[in-house]
Amino acid sequence: MKRTTSAAELLLPVSRNRGRSMHEQVEQALRSAIQTGRLKAGFALPSTRALAEDLGMSRGVVVLAYEQLLAEGYLTATRGSATRVASIRQAVSAAAAPIDAETTPTYDFRPSSPDLTTFPRRAWLSSLRRVLASSPNAIFAYPDPAGALRTREALSGYLNRTRGTLAQPGRIVMCNGFAQGLRLVCAVLRERGVKTVAVEDPGHAGQRADINSMGLGTHAVRVDERGIDVARLTALKADAVLLTPAHQFPTGVVLSPDRRKALLDWASRHRVWVLEDDYDAEFRYDRGPVGALQGLAEDRVIYLGSASKTLAPGLRLGWIVSPAELVDRLALAKLHADHGSPTVDQLAFADFIERGELDRHLRKARHVYRRRRDAAVEALRRHLPSLKISGVAAGLHLMLTLPPGLGEAPLEEAASLDSLRIYGLRAHRKRPGGGALLLGYGSLTEARIEAGISLLAAIIRKGPSSSRRSVPTRSTVWDPIERSLKERIAASRPRGRTYLRGN
Amino acid sequence: MKRTTSAAELLLPVSRNRGRSMHEQVEQALRSAIQTGRLKAGFALPSTRALAEDLGMSRGVVVLAYEQLLAEGYLTATRGSATRVASIRQAVSAAAAPIDAETTPTYDFRPSSPDLTTFPRRAWLSSLRRVLASSPNAIFAYPDPAGALRTREALSGYLNRTRGTLAQPGRIVMCNGFAQGLRLVCAVLRERGVKTVAVEDPGHAGQRADINSMGLGTHAVRVDERGIDVARLTALKADAVLLTPAHQFPTGVVLSPDRRKALLDWASRHRVWVLEDDYDAEFRYDRGPVGALQGLAEDRVIYLGSASKTLAPGLRLGWIVSPAELVDRLALAKLHADHGSPTVDQLAFADFIERGELDRHLRKARHVYRRRRDAAVEALRRHLPSLKISGVAAGLHLMLTLPPGLGEAPLEEAASLDSLRIYGLRAHRKRPGGGALLLGYGSLTEARIEAGISLLAAIIRKGPSSSRRSVPTRSTVWDPIERSLKERIAASRPRGRTYLRGN
């Protein structure tokens, strides 16, 4: 395989005057060259030294960019051989980002990650056992595309009780997680003539992309401390709106009562479909539950939920509670997509709900997350008392507003040198705005949260730019014992397959 | 709700000179009015007496049409109330047709139905238990969109050993059954500029529709006793071809060695993608295994398989073995579709294969199916010695050629009066051709096969038209004990929900 040695040949658009760090620019240029297929799988990259010389920058910058892309799965490296472009699938796997203590940085504040170590394996297995022992043979036949009736019954009871929905079994369509649900809804709305879906800004970047990929436009509407700006929303010509009213993603705010009312009045008057993403409402700490919009307007609201936060994303259990008008089309779309979701899993979920196991698990999980939330708030107050935190009353993450002049990207970069992964708000912004970090605490222990935030505070205090000049060594781990453990684990497995292991 | 009493108002296009039975015409007219939404859910149909008078036909004809549509789920009926149009979802569920002894006719010769009563519940539960007991927490995270590596490894070993494939774990994408796999393949081929997929004629009607719904054209190519007519195929301008070389669906023929060679030569010369549907090749009785085409041309053949025939459709386990060129795009398409299939199920399948449970189950199942195949062939030779049977060497169904003048539709109709469900070939034909029945024996006991075929022979001997004049009573069941049992089961559950129960 030919080994390129020139940056010109790689066509990397890197500039010193772009307002982004050099490291980030190199990283982004390479990432997009790989994503678009310009750099193909197996392609050997120039050495870090050669590329750095060629670009006229320090070698450390290039090392950092390569290491980030290795971690993301875009590149692969074997000891003693060139760094190469990985197959897209590896990158895809990295994007899916399994939360596994072995493969993540020491302190990974990924937002909305649930704690997978507390998955109730024994109770789940009991549910599987009961289903396999007692169900008729029909469970092995082609599924009901709308989902197993028993599951839709159990789920509607659960949602009506805990989320204030008005769900009926006959209006539920089970699907493989939220993502498939959103696609099915988009397909059906498109059939019905919908052209544009209004979304929140900031709002989930991946969902915006998913809606666009289904052939619908998006229109980003500003979110403030009271949720989506309904006055602006209602001034638009949108046929549908996707929002997170109970706990806005990513800001964590709750849609205010007057806006809820104004939104539903408008939607009902103009026959606008309201897509309600109720992604983590089960976790609330200091306030009463915020009921689902669906309970106020069952004929306008398309409610989407999943077990990805309450149990585990790996189960791929999601659901749509649909207005009567759309439910048959959604079931038909699901039939076409994959002939229905696996029946045994759905029935195990029904059994799990019916026996109170879901409530039991959520009580425990809520307790764990509340302590983690408290630890995060406490650590932030102690180490970074002047910075504003918000969205703490619910969910699995909070938002930390950065002071003006402190950029998200340089901070992320500096933190990564200390095996600390933090997430800037900008990925989820459509329009530019003030800097902020999203700190997910769901999958970190209290000690880890405290140590990670202490580390973050130290980086912020000394200013991220000072550390950028140092030679980057991604393995600078805070705890030397942990570090040696990590290195041993890393040495025991082939690189570049990191994200494909273990499952 | 308004009760319509006039056929004119229903706009049923029924004619005495259409070459189809009156019953079938009424049934089809109503079915399509419901499918297209002209008759909406909840709409009250006229009484059978009123509609029959209005159409100038015997009431029995209308009763039969209503009962068929009730069975298919298009209509619902409650004792003492009007027959109404069901919601599409119920119809959809009926289309998915769970194979459950309680809800099917006494003798249902549905092709390709596996026997669900022999599902190895205990061994499957053991696999689930081992996976939940021993896997890392990463199994609960977002899945690898291509599928769990361990499953792809186990599956590639199994396929290479039993199907003669050249599968590598890195070229497998796991999906939710064959249907999703075909959609993913169509999406990726479309990206690559493919416009038309050649399909077999006769060939699977549902697959043709799926390909069309993904925005690709189809071109039907004649199948004869040696499989798809490769000379005709190669004369086309198709960019891809979908075929069932090991056991053609529905005729049961095997693609002849010279045609296999010619097909692959042509595909390789013109860079045509070959989609290989290997749907029931595990079940063969009197001949050696026919290896997969994929093993001869791993860079041209996109191999699609599932556990729907070997284990159960309800598991929704399917896979694609892809040429290197397409595998990353397929994984990306799967990521977009639903973020990957449930991990625990995939790992249970891996464990099930690794421990030899799949081989054990298939050995048993093959034995059961061979005896059923023998019973079917034996009964046909005894009761209908003059009719040609074909496709008996493998699979879960055979084909019975009807003598000229004996129509499939009147035969199906007459059989249904005796709770015998048979399937004409015409549903899978693109071009007209001689009449034939597809007789699936996979889910029927030997006694049931013998009795069903004896019944079929009686109907054929007396001529289906003679029975058409009699008052139709769908519950005329051959065995009086069975009949009373069926009636008790039927009475114990609400009608119109038949297909939604039990799972």
Side-chain angles (χ1 to χ4, degrees):
Chain A
M1 177 107 26
K2 182 183 160 208
R3 179 146 177 145
T4 310
T5 46
S6 138
E9 212 174 321
L10 285 177
L11 296 171
L12 298 184
V14 176
S15 140
R16 293 201 177 273
N17 303 309
R18 290 225 182 168
R20 287 196 303 167
S21 72
M22 299 299 288
H23 146 234
E24 202 189 29
Q25 286 189 50
V26 173
E27 184 187 310
Q28 182 49 39
L30 282 169
R31 193 190 286 110
S32 93
I34 296 166
Q35 282 170 337
T36 59
R38 204 156 54 72
L39 294 187
K40 299 220 180 309
F43 183 89
L45 291 170
S47 71
T48 51
R49 188 175 308 276
L51 185 58
E53 275 171 20
D54 212 45
L55 293 169
M57 53 180 64
S58 82
R59 184 171 163 240
V61 170
V62 177
V63 167
L64 197 58
Y66 277 27
E67 291 197 332
Q68 177 62 28
L69 294 170
L70 278 164
E72 292 179 11
Y74 285 96
L75 301 179
T76 55
T78 345
R79 207 176 294 272
S81 162
T83 300
R84 290 176 188 277
V85 174
S87 71
I88 295 177
R89 187 144 47 76
Q90 288 170 310
V92 160
S93 307
I99 300 110
D100 177 352
E102 290 178 15
T103 61
T104 49
T106 312
Y107 312 98
D108 188 347
F109 285 90
R110 182 181 292 272
S112 300
S113 282
D115 185 3
L116 303 177
T117 65
T118 57
F119 183 87
R121 295 181 183 226
R122 191 183 297 264
W124 187 254
L125 179 64
S126 294
S127 290
L128 286 167
R129 182 187 300 117
R130 269 188 297 274
V131 166
L132 283 168
S134 67
S135 306
N137 290 322
I139 64 170
F140 303 117
Y142 281 97
D144 182 334
L149 180 59
R150 183 178 154 198
T151 307
R152 292 184 276 123
E153 284 170 346
L155 185 62
S156 61
Y158 168 78
L159 292 174
N160 294 345
R161 174 165 56 79
T162 65
R163 300 295 308 123
T165 51
L166 282 173
Q168 300 166 30
R171 298 227 191 138
I172 292 180
V173 175
M174 298 297 298
C175 49
N176 301 345
F178 177 91
Q180 187 184 46
L182 182 58
R183 283 178 83 83
L184 298 177
V185 169
C186 285
V188 168
L189 291 185
R190 217 183 140 197
E191 264 177 33
R192 311 267 303 203
V194 167
K195 300 265 182 275
T196 308
V197 180
V199 294
E200 297 169 317
D201 183 17
H204 199 293
Q207 292 175 7
R208 210 156 51 212
D210 281 346
I211 294 170
N212 292 334
S213 81
M214 292 299 290
L216 296 171
T218 47
H219 200 118
V221 179
R222 203 185 65 165
V223 167
D224 60 25
E225 319 75 52
R226 296 188 302 136
I228 193 167
D229 186 334
V230 173
R232 287 182 192 225
L233 173 63
T234 55
L236 294 176
K237 282 264 171 276
D239 320 295
V241 55
L242 168 63
L243 75 170
T244 46
H247 185 236
Q248 205 274 332
F249 185 88
T251 65
V253 300
V254 179
L255 187 63
S256 66
D258 57 317
R259 288 195 179 172
R260 285 165 73 93
K261 186 172 177 329
L263 173 86
L264 292 179
D265 285 350
W266 165 75
S268 142
R269 228 171 18 248
H270 296 275
R271 297 186 55 77
V272 170
W273 297 111
V274 178
L275 282 57
E276 178 171 27
D277 173 8
D278 201 34
Y279 70 108
D280 71 356
E282 274 87 351
F283 302 120
R284 60 188 163 71
Y285 313 112
D286 316 308
R287 58 164 168 81
V290 178
L293 286 178
Q294 195 273 350
L296 303 172
E298 53 176 329
D299 290 332
R300 276 293 109 203
V301 176
I302 305 167
Y303 175 97
L304 293 136
S306 83
S308 295
K309 304 289 178 286
T310 51
L311 271 171
L315 297 178
R316 309 312 299 128
L317 283 166
W319 46 85
I320 308 167
V321 184
S322 166
E325 199 178 333
L326 302 179
V327 67
D328 295 339
R329 306 309 304 181
L330 286 169
L332 204 59
K334 172 67 176 164
L335 177 74
H336 288 153
D338 61 8
H339 284 205
S341 291
T343 305
V344 171
D345 297 351
Q346 291 184 57
L347 292 179
F349 187 50
D351 181 87
F352 196 80
I353 294 173
E354 288 161 7
R355 302 177 68 86
E357 293 291 353
L358 182 58
D359 290 299
R360 196 166 306 141
H361 172 65
L362 285 174
R363 264 200 307 278
K364 278 191 215 160
R366 209 176 278 129
H367 186 65
V368 168
Y369 292 142
R370 181 202 293 269
R371 283 194 281 113
R372 291 178 182 181
R373 192 277 315 253
D374 290 347
V377 170
E378 173 56 29
L380 287 167
R381 289 206 177 122
R382 192 162 56 246
H383 297 294
L384 292 163
S386 64
L387 299 193
K388 184 186 162 199
I389 55 180
S390 46
V392 298
L396 301 174
H397 75 276
L398 52 76
M399 192 169 80
L400 180 70
T401 305
L402 295 176
L406 192 57
E408 294 171 12
L411 208 54
E412 285 171 5
E413 186 177 321
S416 77
L417 304 182
D418 288 326
S419 198
L420 167 63
R421 193 171 287 179
I422 51 179
Y423 298 82
L425 178 60
R426 71 193 180 291
H428 300 291
R429 274 194 194 285
K430 184 79 179 162
R431 301 186 189 82
L437 298 180
L438 304 174
L439 298 177
Y441 47 77
S443 59
L444 292 171
T445 61
E446 288 151 72
R448 204 66 79 93
I449 289 167
E450 157 63 28
I453 286 176
S454 152
L455 198 53
L456 174 65
I459 294 164
I460 289 178
R461 271 196 303 273
K462 75 177 168 187
S465 52
S466 64
S467 66
R468 235 192 323 145
R469 305 255 173 263
S470 69
V471 177
T473 50
R474 270 188 107 249
S475 54
T476 307
V477 176
W478 189 68
D479 180 340
I481 297 171
E482 202 155 16
R483 176 181 169 175
S484 84
L485 192 67
K486 263 194 79 143
E487 283 172 354
R488 261 189 293 131
I489 292 168
S492 72
R493 64 165 181 262
R495 290 191 75 175
R497 303 290 291 177
T498 311
Y499 292 97
L500 298 175
R501 271 191 75 252
N503 59 346
Chain B
M1 176 110 19
K2 183 184 158 206
R3 177 146 179 146
T4 311
T5 47
S6 137
E9 214 175 321
L10 285 177
L11 297 170
L12 298 184
V14 176
S15 140
R16 294 201 176 274
N17 303 308
R18 290 224 181 170
R20 287 195 304 168
S21 72
M22 299 299 288
H23 144 234
E24 202 189 29
Q25 287 189 49
V26 173
E27 184 187 310
Q28 182 48 39
L30 281 169
R31 193 189 287 111
S32 93
I34 296 166
Q35 283 170 337
T36 59
R38 205 155 55 70
L39 293 187
K40 299 221 180 308
F43 183 90
L45 291 170
S47 71
T48 50
R49 187 176 308 276
L51 185 59
E53 276 172 19
D54 212 46
L55 292 169
M57 52 180 63
S58 82
R59 184 171 161 237
V61 169
V62 178
V63 168
L64 197 58
Y66 278 26
E67 291 195 331
Q68 176 61 29
L69 293 171
L70 278 164
E72 291 180 10
Y74 285 96
L75 302 179
T76 56
T78 346
R79 207 177 294 273
S81 162
T83 300
R84 289 177 189 277
V85 174
S87 71
I88 295 176
R89 187 144 49 74
Q90 288 170 308
V92 161
S93 307
I99 300 111
D100 177 350
E102 291 177 15
T103 62
T104 48
T106 312
Y107 312 98
D108 189 347
F109 285 90
R110 182 180 293 272
S112 300
S113 282
D115 184 3
L116 303 177
T117 65
T118 57
F119 183 86
R121 296 181 182 225
R122 190 182 298 265
W124 187 253
L125 179 63
S126 296
S127 290
L128 285 167
R129 182 187 300 118
R130 269 188 297 274
V131 166
L132 282 169
S134 67
S135 306
N137 290 323
I139 63 170
F140 302 118
Y142 280 98
D144 182 333
L149 181 59
R150 182 177 154 199
T151 308
R152 292 184 277 125
E153 284 170 348
L155 186 62
S156 61
Y158 168 78
L159 293 174
N160 294 346
R161 174 164 56 79
T162 64
R163 299 296 308 121
T165 52
L166 282 173
Q168 300 167 30
R171 298 227 193 137
I172 293 180
V173 175
M174 298 296 298
C175 49
N176 302 344
F178 176 92
Q180 187 184 45
L182 182 58
R183 283 178 82 84
L184 298 176
V185 169
C186 285
V188 168
L189 291 185
R190 218 184 139 195
E191 265 177 30
R192 312 267 303 203
V194 167
K195 300 264 184 276
T196 309
V197 180
V199 295
E200 297 168 317
D201 183 18
H204 199 293
Q207 293 175 8
R208 208 156 53 212
D210 281 346
I211 294 170
N212 292 333
S213 82
M214 293 299 290
L216 297 172
T218 47
H219 199 118
V221 178
R222 203 185 65 165
V223 167
D224 61 26
E225 319 75 52
R226 295 188 299 137
I228 193 167
D229 187 334
V230 174
R232 286 182 193 224
L233 173 64
T234 56
L236 294 176
K237 282 264 171 277
D239 320 295
V241 55
L242 168 63
L243 74 170
T244 46
H247 184 236
Q248 205 272 333
F249 185 87
T251 65
V253 301
V254 179
L255 187 64
S256 67
D258 58 317
R259 287 196 181 172
R260 285 166 72 95
K261 186 172 178 325
L263 173 86
L264 292 179
D265 286 350
W266 165 75
S268 140
R269 226 171 21 247
H270 297 274
R271 299 187 52 77
V272 170
W273 297 110
V274 177
L275 282 57
E276 178 171 28
D277 173 8
D278 201 35
Y279 70 108
D280 71 356
E282 275 87 351
F283 303 118
R284 58 187 165 73
Y285 314 112
D286 316 310
R287 58 164 167 81
V290 178
L293 286 178
Q294 194 273 349
L296 303 172
E298 52 176 331
D299 290 331
R300 276 294 107 204
V301 177
I302 305 166
Y303 175 97
L304 293 136
S306 82
S308 295
K309 304 289 179 285
T310 51
L311 270 171
L315 298 179
R316 307 314 299 128
L317 284 165
W319 46 85
I320 309 167
V321 183
S322 167
E325 199 178 334
L326 302 180
V327 67
D328 294 339
R329 307 308 304 180
L330 286 168
L332 203 58
K334 173 67 176 166
L335 177 74
H336 288 153
D338 61 8
H339 285 206
S341 290
T343 304
V344 170
D345 297 351
Q346 291 184 57
L347 292 178
F349 187 50
D351 181 86
F352 196 81
I353 295 173
E354 289 161 7
R355 302 177 68 86
E357 293 291 352
L358 182 58
D359 290 300
R360 197 166 306 141
H361 172 65
L362 285 174
R363 263 199 308 279
K364 278 191 214 162
R366 208 176 279 128
H367 186 65
V368 168
Y369 293 142
R370 180 201 293 269
R371 283 195 283 115
R372 291 179 181 182
R373 192 276 315 254
D374 290 348
V377 170
E378 173 56 27
L380 287 166
R381 287 204 179 125
R382 192 163 55 247
H383 298 293
L384 292 163
S386 64
L387 299 193
K388 183 187 163 197
I389 55 181
S390 47
V392 298
L396 301 174
H397 75 276
L398 52 77
M399 192 168 78
L400 179 71
T401 304
L402 295 176
L406 193 57
E408 293 171 11
L411 208 53
E412 285 171 4
E413 186 177 321
S416 77
L417 304 182
D418 289 326
S419 198
L420 167 64
R421 195 171 287 181
I422 51 178
Y423 298 84
L425 177 61
R426 70 193 182 291
H428 300 290
R429 275 194 195 285
K430 184 81 179 163
R431 300 186 190 81
L437 298 180
L438 304 174
L439 297 177
Y441 46 78
S443 58
L444 292 171
T445 61
E446 288 151 72
R448 203 66 79 94
I449 290 167
E450 157 63 27
I453 287 175
S454 152
L455 198 53
L456 174 65
I459 294 165
I460 290 179
R461 271 196 303 273
K462 74 178 167 185
S465 53
S466 65
S467 66
R468 239 197 315 152
R469 304 255 175 262
S470 70
V471 177
T473 49
R474 270 189 106 248
S475 52
T476 309
V477 177
W478 190 69
D479 179 343
I481 298 171
E482 202 155 17
R483 175 181 170 175
S484 85
L485 191 68
K486 264 194 80 145
E487 282 172 354
R488 262 189 291 129
I489 292 168
S492 71
R493 65 166 180 260
R495 290 193 74 175
R497 304 288 291 177
T498 310
Y499 292 97
L500 298 174
R501 271 191 74 253
N503 58 346

